[in-house]
Amino acid sequence: MKKRIFGETDGIRAEVGKSPLRPNIITELGRIIAEKQNADGTGKFALGRDTRESGLWILDCMKQGLGSEH
């Protein structure tokens, strides 16, 4: 069976700190999203998170990736 990042529900599912929930992967995902979105000419993003401690660094990594194109 092929392992998928996006599981049966919306979002990425994994144990924090293990692939794919590692800082470098989250940052790269943000960069790719920004690249694809900016190709459409919008360039605006809304981010949200839950209250888990890992949400802070995941949000920071995503922001870093989203901003790397600008």
Side-chain angles (χ1 to χ4, degrees):
M1 176 185 254
K2 184 177 177 183
K3 186 174 179 180
R4 298 172 14 181
I5 292 176
F6 294 95
E8 297 291 323
T9 62
D10 293 338
I12 296 173
R13 303 286 183 230
E15 188 176 334
V16 173
K18 295 185 179 180
S19 187
L21 281 180
R22 293 192 323 240
N24 62 320
I25 294 174
I26 300 298
T27 301
E28 181 66 6
L29 179 62
R31 188 196 65 74
I32 292 167
I33 290 170
E35 181 181 290
K36 298 294 183 189
Q37 190 73 10
N38 288 335
D40 294 339
T42 58
K44 291 187 177 187
F45 304 94
L47 298 174
R49 69 174 191 90
D50 62 21
T51 59
R52 287 176 276 193
E53 288 181 35
S54 59
L56 289 173
W57 70 261
I58 292 170
L59 184 62
D60 288 342
C61 291
M62 184 60 72
K63 285 181 185 178
Q64 184 178 21
L66 290 171
S68 67
E69 294 292 311
H70 309 306

